[in-house]
């Protein structure tokens, strides 16, 4: 029987690590992800798992050692947030180009400066071009489920890419929710033994990792990574299907919430989707307007065609970004969704909103105003511009 | 039990061991780094498996240019500043996979970094790896500057050396500061074995130190003076002479720190003046101008001071 528990998002990830018992975990403390290595260290200290913990002296070394362990043939994981991920930046690209199936638990937090410890997506969105698969969660349950699914995705032969399992700092990482845990043996079976083909410690075949590749090889390497990212789409859905059979919980590239007949849609990532769902329900129950929500789960590989298809019949869409990229087009999700819509000749009006930067709260009534604006945009065909802000003081 | 490094040194036998760094790599003629790598890898017992690590630098870009590797062993290059951390991960993976019965063979772990990747940008990663006690050897092939990018000053660059970022000029005498004493700093990490060496006549010093470093359990650090013909400005054929002069002038003392005990490896019968080491090198050419005579005197005083301090540490 599955076990009902009350866990924070960090505890949920740590519990999944306990169930998976990876070989090596190098990690360095940083708020708000620190609890994950703490819990794992406790499991190790009590003999619950035989994972080797490496007490690295920085996040750069955390990812460097994770890369070393993974290349050597171990199942290697780590966890970090914000500036910790920024310090890993160089290594994120190395992990991806070496095609190492590392799983990184990322607890999203705003990047400095100014220094800020609260949730936004500037850390992972900044790393969106690094070649990592990125999977985001709305709730603690989703964090746990995504984490378990990350392994068969990363380690699939057609993929062999690192995976970032993202959750919103404090909101889910520290918020305690009811959660259904999968039985240990089922998790172990779902994830399976890690049996890499090529690794440094393979007695039958020596391996050299991390070459200097000049211009006659570099471009094909990148194309190879893109192919792996393309292949990942199928593998992500297969993992989700298998997971649904095991748990009954359904996952895809994104969740469509009341989108069947929706005229006005919000596209969003992460925990704020829950708040937006409350607004959708309230509007549908009171004003009887046809509003809906698309919550992105997989940002890399980006489900471009599927998103365009889901938005084909809406009149107006608000794309919500929880990170700044200082582009004329607005934020990263805005750029991706708009590009998908343009390519598919979508007719909907579109606006890109920045919200929740550095942990700024967003409320149900904020989302209600978003839907009101969408209705106005659809009527007048006058957009507010490429982007706008929610909750920004004047 | 006799330890491998205690066996009588037979030059011919050692030189006839199979090469673990294949020829055909792209390092320069007269490069000390390559000699260091070959000598250290030769110290592995035949039949022992190894994973070789490497910080970004001349050695890496010249010995593993896709799709060719010069290494007979498994090899990993990651980046410039993380050779210590990367091999930490490899060594830890080895321990856990061995414990879980997934691998059976015995492996040794040796990583190479230049002085830029070791004294400077990789210093933190090295310190962490040493402090955590991984069973690995970190070998710094110290050529005293960032040679891969064209002889920029590092914290290993000797005082008054002419480099591309500390050029000797009308109002400059080259690098201002004295070099960092990295071997002493790593010794203060209380690791079981630290040694400083270079290659002299029959390679015995470096070879036996490499053996001891590899076959001592726990972290070990070797700092090996590895001259660079392009950066230092000497004839490639002069490599061995330059190393000998570094040792005989006491510019580059050779010593071991074994479980905290300092042991001097070589004391020249006739300690030569430091200018004998400086003269054959283009990077010190400006010191031999009339107006710079006192700078050589300063360098001599610094060499003497460090030499006396080292002898005191070695209780001589």
């Amino acid at each position: 029987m599955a076990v009902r528990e009350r866990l924070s998002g960090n505890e949920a990830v740590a519990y999944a690590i306990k169930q998976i018992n990876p070989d090596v975990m190098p990690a360095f403390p940083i708020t708000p992800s620190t609890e994950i290595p703490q819990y794992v260290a406790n499991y190790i200290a009590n003999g619950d798992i035989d994972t080797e913990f490496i007490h690295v002296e920085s996040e750069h070394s955390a990812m460097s050692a994770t890369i070393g362990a993974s290349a050597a043939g171990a199942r290697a994981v780590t966890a970090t947030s914000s500036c910790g991920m920024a310090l890993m930046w160089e290594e994120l690209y190395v992990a991806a180009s070496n095609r190492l199936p590392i799983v990184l638990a990322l607890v999203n937090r705003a990047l400095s400066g100014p220094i800020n410890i609260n949730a936004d997506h500037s850390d992972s969105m900044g790393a969106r071009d690094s070649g990592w698969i990125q999977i985001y969660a709305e709730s603690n349950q989703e964090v746990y489920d995504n984490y378990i699914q990350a392994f068969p995705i990363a380690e699939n032969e057609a993929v062999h890419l690192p995976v970032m399992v993202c959750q919103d700092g404090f909101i889910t990482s520290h918020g305690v929710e009811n959660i259904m845990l999968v039985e240990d043996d089922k998790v172990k079976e779902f994830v399976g033994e890690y049996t890499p083909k090529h690794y440094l410690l393979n007695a039958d075949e020596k391996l050299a990792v991390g070459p200097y590749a000049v211009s006659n090889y570099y471009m094909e390497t990148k194309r190879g990574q893109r192919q792996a990212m393309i292949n990942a789409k199928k593998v992500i859905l297969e993992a989700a299907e298998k997971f649904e059979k095991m748990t009954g919980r359904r996952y895809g590239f994104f969740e469509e919430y009341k989108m069947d007949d929706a005229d006005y849609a919000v596209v969003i990532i992460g925990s704020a989707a829950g708040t937006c769902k409350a607004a959708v329900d309230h509007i549908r129950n009171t004003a009887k307007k046809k509003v809906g929500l698309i919550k992105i789960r997989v940002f890399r590989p980006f489900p471009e065609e599927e998103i365009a298809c889901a938005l084909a019949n809406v009149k107006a869409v608000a794309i919500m970004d929880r990170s700044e990229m200082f582009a004329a087009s607005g934020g990263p999700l805005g750029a991706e969704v708009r590009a998908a819509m343009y390519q598919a000749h979508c007719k909907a009006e579109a606006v890109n909103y920045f919200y929740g930067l550095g942990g700024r709260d967003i409320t149900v009534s904020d989302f209600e105003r978003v839907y009101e604006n969408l209705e106005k945009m659809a009527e007048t065909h006058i957009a507010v511009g490429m982007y706008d802000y929610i909750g920004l003081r004047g | 039990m006799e330890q491998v490094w205690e066996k009588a040194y037979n030059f011919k036998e050692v030189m006839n061991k199979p090469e673990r760094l294949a020829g055909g790599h792209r390092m320069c003629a007269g490069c000390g780094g390559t000699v260091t790598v070959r000598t250290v890898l030769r110290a592995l017992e035949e039949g022992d498996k190894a994973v070789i690590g490497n910080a970004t630098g001349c050695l890496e870009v010249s010995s593993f240019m896709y799709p060719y590797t010069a290494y007979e062993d498994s090899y990993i290059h990651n980046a410039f500043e993380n050779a210590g951390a990367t091999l930490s991960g490899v060594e830890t993976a080895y321990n856990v996979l061995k414990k879980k019965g997934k691998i059976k063979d015995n492996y040794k772990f040796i990583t190479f970094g230049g002085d830029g990747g070791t004294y400077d940008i990789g210093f933190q990663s090295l310190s962490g790896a040493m402090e955590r006690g991984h069973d690995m050897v970190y070998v710094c092939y110290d050529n005293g500057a960032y040679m891969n990018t064209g002889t920029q000053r590092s914290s290993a660059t000797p005082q008054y050396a002419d480099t591309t970022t500390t050029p000797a000029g009308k109002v400059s005498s080259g690098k201002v500061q004295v070099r960092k004493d990295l071997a002493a700093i790593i010794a203060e990490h209380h690791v079981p074995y630290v040694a400083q060496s270079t290659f002299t006549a029959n390679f015995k010093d470096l070879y036996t130190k490499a053996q001891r470093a590899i076959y001592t359990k726990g972290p070990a650090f070797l700092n090996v003076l590895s001259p660079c013909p392009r950066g230092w400005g000497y004839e490639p054929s002069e490599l061995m002479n330059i190393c000998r002069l570094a040792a005989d002038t006491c510019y580059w003392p050779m010593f071991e720190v074994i479980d905290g005990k300092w042991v001097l490896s070589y004391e020249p019968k006739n300690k030569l003046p430091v200018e004998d080491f400086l003269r054959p090198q283009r990077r010190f050419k400006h010191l031999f101008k009339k107006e710079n005579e006192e700078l050589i005197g300063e360098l001599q005083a610094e060499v003497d001071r460090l030499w006396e301090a080292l002898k005191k540490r070695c209780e001589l």
Side-chain angles (χ1 to χ4, degrees):
Chain A
M1 275 290 285
V3 184
R4 181 181 288 280
E5 253 291 6
R6 281 174 299 172
L7 297 177
S8 72
N10 280 344
E11 279 178 299
V13 168
Y15 196 82
I17 292 173
K18 182 185 172 190
Q19 294 180 306
I20 292 161
N21 190 21
D23 298 314
V24 181
M25 180 168 186
F28 188 82
I30 182 166
T31 303
S33 66
T34 312
E35 287 179 336
I36 296 172
Q38 278 180 348
Y39 286 122
V40 173
N42 268 301
Y43 295 139
I44 295 168
N46 291 308
D48 297 329
I49 52 174
D50 50 13
T51 304
E52 285 283 340
F53 194 95
I54 308 182
H55 302 85
V56 283
E57 77 301 326
S58 72
E59 288 90 352
H60 192 282
S61 284
M63 188 48 70
S64 301
T66 309
I67 287 168
S70 182
R75 183 176 265 159
V77 303
T78 187
T80 196
S81 291
S82 181
C83 303
M85 166 164 277
L87 192 55
M88 287 180 182
W89 220 266
E90 175 191 31
E91 292 300 298
L92 295 176
Y93 284 73
V94 174
S97 73
N98 280 334
R99 307 292 297 275
L100 299 172
I102 291 163
V103 176
L104 164 68
L106 180 73
V107 182
N108 284 105
R109 163 186 152 184
L111 282 175
S112 297
I115 186 169
N116 174 296
I117 60 165
N118 297 107
D120 80 23
H121 300 150
S122 47
D123 44 10
S124 56
M125 282 299 159
R128 72 191 180 277
D129 302 343
S130 63
W132 284 59
I133 290 171
Q134 292 192 341
I135 307 178
Y136 290 82
E138 176 190 334
S139 65
N140 299 7
Q141 183 72 62
E142 290 184 8
V143 177
Y144 174 77
D145 294 351
N146 288 345
Y147 193 83
I148 292 168
Q149 290 175 63
F151 290 84
I153 296 167
E155 294 166 6
N156 186 289
E157 257 187 58
V159 180
H160 249 269
L161 287 177
V163 177
M164 216 174 268
V165 180
C166 309
Q167 63 168 312
D168 285 347
F170 293 108
I171 299 168
T172 63
S173 73
H174 286 62
V176 174
E177 287 184 333
N178 286 329
I179 179 171
M180 294 301 289
L181 297 172
V182 185
E183 297 89 319
D184 289 1
D185 56 336
K186 280 191 183 170
V187 172
K188 283 194 170 62
E189 198 196 321
F190 183 85
V191 169
E193 277 284 308
Y194 178 49
T195 51
K197 266 198 175 156
H198 308 289
Y199 55 106
L200 293 169
L201 299 171
N202 184 350
D204 303 324
E205 175 204 63
K206 286 162 194 165
L207 179 70
V209 176
Y212 175 44
V214 289
S215 42
N216 47 353
Y217 290 106
Y218 185 88
M219 204 157 165
E220 285 71 25
T221 309
K222 293 299 137 188
R223 178 63 182 85
Q225 287 177 244
R226 179 173 281 273
Q227 191 58 48
M229 204 53 102
I230 293 166
N231 298 347
K233 286 184 75 176
K234 183 166 167 266
V235 175
I236 287 165
L237 293 182
E238 283 166 3
E241 199 183 326
K242 204 174 147 197
F243 192 84
E244 188 185 355
K245 277 191 189 132
M246 178 171 76
T247 63
R249 294 191 288 276
R250 188 181 182 83
Y251 289 97
F253 298 130
F254 48 85
E255 179 193 343
E256 293 181 69
Y257 187 75
K258 307 206 171 162
M259 283 298 295
D260 285 348
D261 61 344
D263 291 327
Y264 312 107
V266 163
V267 183
I268 199 163
I269 295 179
S271 62
T275 313
C276 189
K277 283 175 185 172
V280 168
D281 290 345
H282 184 69
I283 294 167
R284 280 192 176 256
N285 290 340
T286 53
K288 309 289 178 195
K289 302 258 166 81
K290 292 174 181 170
V291 294
L293 160 75
I294 292 175
K295 179 189 79 195
I296 303 283
R297 173 176 177 250
V298 179
F299 185 76
R300 282 287 180 272
F302 192 73
E304 187 214 5
E305 286 174 15
E306 294 82 352
I307 285 284
C309 189
L311 293 171
N313 299 319
V314 302
K315 292 176 181 162
V317 56
I319 310 147
M320 311 290 287
D321 264 297
R322 198 162 198 164
S323 65
E324 179 54 282
M325 68 175 189
F326 308 108
S329 60
L333 184 60
E336 299 271 350
V337 174
R338 274 200 178 107
M341 291 171 67
Y342 179 85
Q343 198 66 11
H345 306 290
C346 288
K347 296 281 187 290
E349 297 291 337
V351 62
N352 191 187
Y353 284 109
F354 289 110
Y355 78 99
L357 304 187
R360 178 149 302 175
D361 205 11
I362 185 161
T363 62
V364 174
S365 47
D366 287 328
F367 281 110
E368 287 173 355
R369 275 193 296 280
V370 167
Y371 284 111
E372 282 166 22
N373 288 343
L374 289 181
E375 195 178 349
K376 263 182 237 160
M377 272 171 58
E379 276 166 18
T380 60
H381 298 287
I382 300 168
V384 290
M386 287 297 273
Y387 58 88
D388 202 351
Y389 290 84
I390 293 171
L392 182 74
R393 288 199 307 278
Chain B
M1 199 183 82
E2 191 187 39
Q3 304 286 356
V4 286
W5 61 85
E6 291 167 347
K7 287 179 188 153
Y9 179 79
N10 182 324
F11 178 66
K12 208 174 160 188
E13 216 172 80
V14 166
M15 288 300 152
N16 281 328
K17 287 173 87 172
E19 283 285 351
R20 299 179 87 133
L21 182 78
H25 56 71
R26 297 160 191 236
M27 297 287 269
C28 301
C31 162
T34 325
V35 181
T36 298
V37 174
R38 287 173 63 200
T39 310
V40 169
L41 295 184
R42 209 175 271 133
L44 279 160
E45 295 288 285
E46 284 184 64
D48 276 4
K49 289 187 155 62
V51 177
I52 311 303
N54 200 174
T56 309
C58 290
L59 177 64
E60 187 272 322
V61 300
S62 306
S63 63
F64 184 21
M65 189 186 266
Y66 188 82
Y68 305 109
T69 174
Y71 296 88
E72 298 291 346
D73 296 282
S74 276
Y75 168 94
I76 181 166
H77 157 256
N78 185 342
F80 196 3
E81 70 281 50
N82 58 3
T86 303
L87 214 63
S88 297
V90 177
E91 187 259 1
T92 306
Y94 169 71
N95 292 335
V96 65
L97 294 177
K98 188 109 188 189
K99 195 169 70 186
K100 290 182 177 178
K102 289 187 174 179
I103 48 173
K104 292 187 174 58
D105 297 87
N106 293 320
Y107 279 85
K108 295 291 173 187
F109 303 95
I110 305 167
T111 197
F112 296 95
D115 50 283
T118 307
Y119 282 66
D120 289 350
I121 196 170
F123 182 58
Q124 174 182 314
S125 173
L126 165 65
S127 175
M130 293 287 115
E131 181 270 332
R132 290 190 299 271
H134 298 280
D135 189 6
M136 61 182 268
V137 184
Y138 191 110
V139 184
C140 176
Y141 67 101
D142 181 344
N143 51 29
Y146 292 84
M147 297 312 186
N148 191 37
T149 43
T151 322
Q152 290 80 32
R153 168 239 202 252
S154 79
S155 63
T157 304
Q159 193 177 24
Y160 300 136
D162 175 33
T163 75
T164 56
T165 50
T166 59
K170 283 178 190 158
V171 294
S172 158
S173 309
K175 190 198 179 194
V176 175
Q177 302 83 359
V178 298
R179 55 175 287 278
K180 188 193 275 183
D181 190 354
L182 187 60
I185 294 165
I186 301 303
E188 288 301 323
H189 285 62
H190 307 302
V191 296
Y193 190 70
V194 171
Q196 190 159 288
S197 182
T198 187
F199 20 96
T200 48
N202 65 355
F203 296 95
K204 185 186 171 192
D205 189 85
L206 178 56
Y207 179 82
T208 51
K209 282 173 178 169
Q211 281 183 311
R212 187 157 194 158
I214 295 166
Y215 291 98
T216 294
K217 198 170 167 47
F221 177 72
L222 292 179
N223 200 25
V224 188
L225 186 75
S226 309
C228 168
R230 295 185 62 79
W232 292 19
Y234 60 85
E235 284 303 312
S237 58
E238 285 301 294
L239 172 63
M240 295 301 281
N241 283 334
I242 296 279
C243 290
R244 186 179 53 78
L245 288 167
D248 283 344
T249 57
C250 300
Y251 164 76
W252 191 260
M254 301 200 282
F255 56 85
E256 293 176 294
V257 188
I258 305 161
D259 292 323
K261 190 172 161 43
W262 287 67
V263 182
L264 196 64
S265 315
Y266 176 70
E267 185 161 14
K269 282 197 189 76
N270 301 308
K271 182 169 174 256
L272 300 175
V274 73
E275 63 177 276
D276 287 4
F277 170 66
L278 307 176
R279 197 177 294 108
Q281 302 181 45
R282 189 192 57 234
R283 62 176 174 161
F284 296 117
K285 197 177 160 197
H286 58 291
L287 298 183
F288 292 89
K289 287 181 183 163
K290 189 100 188 104
E291 64 271 26
N292 285 336
E293 259 173 15
E294 66 185 73
L295 300 182
I296 295 180
E298 269 182 46
L299 284 177
Q300 185 65 60
E302 180 67 5
V303 166
D304 293 345
R305 186 183 71 77
L306 291 171
W307 178 248
E308 290 310 314
L310 175 63
K311 285 207 290 187
K312 205 171 164 191
R313 264 177 167 160
C314 297
E315 293 171 8
L316 290 173

